Amino acid sequence: MSQILEELERRRAQARVGGGEQRVKAQHARGKLTARERIAAFLDEGSFEEFDMFVQHRCTDFGMQDMKMPGDGVVTGSGTVNGRVVYVFAKDFTVLGGSLSWTHAQKIIKIQDMALKNRAPVIGLFDAGGARIQEGVDALGGYGEVFQRNVLASGVIPQISVILGPCAGGDVYSPAMTDFIFMVRDRSYMFVTGPEVVRTVTNEDVSAEDLGSAHVHTSKSSIADGAYDDDVEALLQMRRLVDFLPSNNISEAPEIDNYDPWDRVDMSLDTLAPDNPNKPYDMKELILKCVDEGDFFEIQEAFAKNIIVGFGRIEGRTVGIVANQPMVLAGVLDSDCSRKAARFVRFCDAFGIPIVTFVDVPGFLPGTDQEYGGLIKHGAKLLFAYAEATVPKVTIITRKAYGGAYDVMGSKHLRGDMNYAWPSAQIAVMGAKGAVEIIFRKDIHDREKIAKHTKDYEDRFLSPFVAAERGFIDEVIMPHSTRKRIVKALRMLRNKTLENPWKKHDNIPL
Ligand code: HXC
């Protein structure tokens, strides 16, 4: 018996070294952890249960029969994050560059199937060279089956991808279908085709960094939702993110102990929005002063900064925050920020997370650039996302809510549950200047008349009261009591039930 036990230990030890000491050293020299070190940093200590440690590929082409390494380039299993079950797979770059073979794919598929059956999140850690080139169509088939499962799990369990090294070819599309992608600065990159293929096909000379670094994907393409300095920071932040999320679409997000008084007032909010409507202020200050203990996990912080989205908690329960940012482009809605916020709103709705919206929006961004780029369709995505959402929706208008953007941003007309406005709110078709120039075009050269019309327009429309008279705003509230009002609204809405008509699925303007 002892011999058999020793044999098991020997085999385990062999599997644990992955591609061997030299390759592990090279991995460390690049500032990267190994797959098992990453899993250990991410999960609760000692909670990892590994599966399929002895799986080997079955390829016999190109001398592969002599290149067998137990585990086949991916470490898979389950463990806990602050006590809650998650499933993980981590590509092992030290084994054939973490490339995907048929058997490697089967290991990931097993994790995906178990996670879906047991309704727990899947976290994929990527560091790989794409399809195992020696395997040809087997690798393509493997990818296809992983993709299929990503889609079936979408909206049922949270799926998170963390890119910690190269991520090329087939490896990019599985992350692309998950809910969130995070990267590591300077040592991770994502692209469908690498610099050499780009050079051959398009004659374009581009480095891997310029093609698909964390900087590119967080600030230009919006493929990635955030970036961190190293593996450990990224993995610790993923633990924080998991804590904000429910395990699946029918269970609630964990309720975290909260020591922030529910009725905390903040007098500084009374002077946050400047009297001059053209002066910006930082909407993030309002968010941080409303959520529990100022704890806010921002998504896509570096992209389309004119809108802020992310997770916070109110009374220990997760909420999704969507907020116009007057500091950037005056908080205007454009194509990029509409897409960013629409995806976030849909995530929250899919996973039963209430949405709190802070509004200060001067409208949609005019111009050929936006119109040619499909602003109508992109703006419609956000409108669609808010309109179809059935989770509790609480909206606070702090200052401007002009034109179509007023409707879009969680308005009463899109089934907003509790709609509040600060006394400084201005709810109107447009600002006074634009409105007067249109209505009183004939007086345009008479300064005195224009000034009077402007004043009349401001007095009549640039306040929350016309909307409040109509019930479009449930209550005009004191800025300092915003947190308290949000708490009360969410308490009221805790058992909200609202269903959309049955359909196979909707047809959101993609
Ligand atoms: C088999 C691979 C591999 C792959 C890397 N390796 N990629 N083996 N299939 N796709 C192996 C290398 O042979 C090497 O083995 C080890 O992994 C480390 O690779 P290096 O090249 O030495 O590392 P590095 O210089 O860091 O470069 C990493 C890399 C590069 C940028 C990822 O390896 C690379 O460009 N690989 C190929 C990428 C690619 O074209 N993939 C196929 C995409 S097609 P040893 O034994 O020396 O350690 C695709 C289609 C799927 O994915 C589409 C589905 C929709």
Side-chain angles (χ1 to χ4, degrees):
M1 182 68 179
S2 70
Q3 250 179 341
I4 301 174
L5 299 184
E6 275 167 25
E7 170 63 6
L8 173 61
E9 272 314 318
R10 191 193 63 76
R11 280 177 170 252
R12 279 183 175 167
Q14 190 194 357
R16 284 195 193 107
V17 294
E21 231 174 81
Q22 282 311 315
R23 291 192 183 91
V24 169
K25 257 194 194 160
Q27 179 82 349
H28 287 157
R30 288 174 167 165
K32 301 194 290 183
L33 298 178
T34 63
R36 282 192 176 75
E37 288 165 347
R38 284 168 175 160
I39 289 175
F42 173 61
L43 294 176
D44 295 341
E45 202 179 339
S47 70
F48 184 48
E49 285 287 311
E50 186 170 344
F51 313 144
D52 292 340
M53 188 187 239
F54 305 118
V55 162
Q56 307 224 18
H57 71 76
R58 296 194 277 271
C59 178
T60 51
D61 293 317
F62 305 103
M64 286 300 282
Q65 64 278 10
D66 303 322
M67 272 216 269
K68 298 225 168 173
M69 293 188 199
D72 202 23
V74 63
V75 180
T76 60
S78 177
T80 57
V81 171
N82 288 322
R84 292 162 69 228
V85 171
V86 295
Y87 288 81
V88 276
F89 63 89
K91 303 271 182 165
D92 185 348
F93 189 77
T94 68
V95 176
L96 295 159
S99 58
L100 182 136
S101 67
W102 176 253
T103 41
H104 173 126
Q106 296 309 311
K107 285 184 68 172
I108 297 175
I109 287 167
K110 189 187 274 187
I111 291 296
Q112 292 179 300
D113 288 345
M114 287 185 78
L116 188 58
K117 196 160 44 177
N118 298 302
R119 297 292 195 261
V122 177
I123 291 87
L125 310 180
F126 289 81
D127 184 2
R132 177 91 41 89
I133 295 166
Q134 296 90 332
E135 288 222 1
V137 72
D138 271 348
L140 301 186
Y143 271 125
E145 303 213 3
V146 171
F147 301 156
Q148 176 66 63
R149 282 161 180 80
N150 283 132
V151 173
L152 294 181
S154 180
V156 183
I157 50 174
Q159 302 180 82
I160 302 171
S161 305
V162 195
I163 317 299
L164 301 155
C167 185
D171 270 320
V172 298
Y173 276 111
S174 175
M177 279 181 297
T178 61
D179 297 301
F180 301 106
I181 299 178
F182 293 90
M183 298 181 73
V184 170
R185 293 188 190 96
D186 300 330
R187 58 192 79 126
S188 74
Y189 43 89
M190 294 180 84
F191 33 67
V192 179
T193 50
E196 268 152 49
V197 178
V198 171
R199 202 170 303 121
T200 313
V201 177
T202 68
N203 263 336
E204 198 185 349
D205 209 355
V206 66
S207 66
E209 273 291 304
D210 287 344
L211 196 56
S213 66
H215 174 71
V216 167
H217 288 311
T218 52
S219 64
K220 287 192 204 305
S221 73
S222 81
I223 299 298
D225 296 288
Y228 302 103
D229 284 335
D230 55 44
D231 288 17
V232 173
E233 192 196 352
L235 295 164
L236 294 180
Q237 287 298 325
M238 291 306 101
R239 286 177 62 83
R240 193 173 151 232
L241 174 59
V242 167
D243 278 349
F244 276 104
L245 306 181
S247 294
N248 55 62
N249 62 343
I250 50 170
S251 70
E252 288 192 6
E255 202 178 326
I256 303 287
D257 287 345
N258 164 45
Y259 303 100
D260 200 348
W262 72 271
D263 56 353
R264 173 172 53 77
V265 295
D266 194 319
M267 301 314 283
S268 69
L269 292 179
D270 289 348
T271 49
L272 179 67
D275 292 337
N276 178 348
N278 299 322
K279 263 189 137 178
Y281 61 95
D282 190 357
M283 190 62 101
K284 233 177 249 181
E285 189 178 330
L286 173 57
I287 296 171
L288 296 179
K289 285 178 172 169
C290 285
V291 295
D292 292 352
E293 290 156 21
D295 188 15
F296 181 56
F297 191 101
E298 191 166 350
I299 300 289
Q300 298 215 344
E301 188 176 1
F303 181 76
K305 296 179 183 175
N306 38 334
I307 213 157
I308 304 166
V309 300
F311 300 106
R313 290 190 190 85
I314 296 287
E315 284 201 295
R317 292 162 195 256
T318 304
V319 292
I321 309 266
V322 181
N324 308 114
Q325 171 57 291
M327 301 271 281
V328 180
L329 294 171
V332 76
L333 290 186
D334 60 6
S335 295
D336 284 346
C337 88
S338 300
R339 282 192 297 116
K340 165 178 162 179
R343 184 161 163 79
F344 182 75
V345 166
R346 295 194 100 214
F347 176 86
C348 292
D349 189 47
F351 288 98
I353 297 172
I355 298 163
V356 176
T357 306
F358 295 110
V359 184
D360 188 346
V361 63
F364 281 100
L365 184 61
T368 49
D369 198 35
Q370 286 294 310
E371 297 290 355
Y372 294 175
L375 177 63
I376 297 172
K377 206 165 232 185
H378 296 305
K381 290 182 172 117
L382 184 54
L383 175 56
F384 200 112
Y386 266 113
E388 71 176 342
T390 56
V391 289
K393 292 186 278 195
V394 178
T395 300
I396 299 101
I397 301 174
T398 59
R399 200 168 57 176
K400 294 171 209 161
Y402 291 169
Y406 153 74
D407 274 324
V408 171
M409 294 298 300
S411 69
K412 202 69 180 165
H413 322 290
L414 304 184
R415 303 187 295 182
D417 293 297
M418 293 309 297
N419 291 67
Y420 296 124
W422 285 4
S424 49
Q426 305 175 348
I427 304 168
V429 174
M430 58 175 73
K433 186 170 176 293
V436 166
E437 280 172 8
I438 293 169
I439 314 173
F440 301 103
R441 192 168 292 155
K442 62 180 176 21
D443 297 333
I444 203 81
H445 301 297
D446 187 332
R447 271 217 198 148
E448 246 172 62
K449 274 191 179 166
I450 287 291
K452 183 178 176 316
H453 294 320
T454 305
K455 171 91 178 58
D456 290 348
Y457 185 92
E458 283 171 355
D459 290 346
R460 176 69 185 129
F461 289 118
L462 295 193
S463 83
F465 296 106
V466 177
E469 281 162 20
R470 284 156 178 73
F472 299 167
I473 292 297
D474 296 298
E475 180 70 307
V476 181
I477 63 168
M478 289 294 187
H480 63 251
S481 65
T482 305
R483 171 176 163 87
K484 200 164 94 177
R485 304 305 286 245
I486 295 172
V487 168
K488 283 186 167 180
L490 290 172
R491 282 182 189 173
M492 251 190 289
L493 299 168
R494 194 147 295 160
N495 295 322
K496 178 182 177 185
T497 38
L498 177 64
E499 274 181 26
N500 293 334
W502 185 90
K503 55 186 90 172
K504 188 170 174 195
H505 56 71
D506 57 39
N507 190 15
I508 190 165
L510 290 175

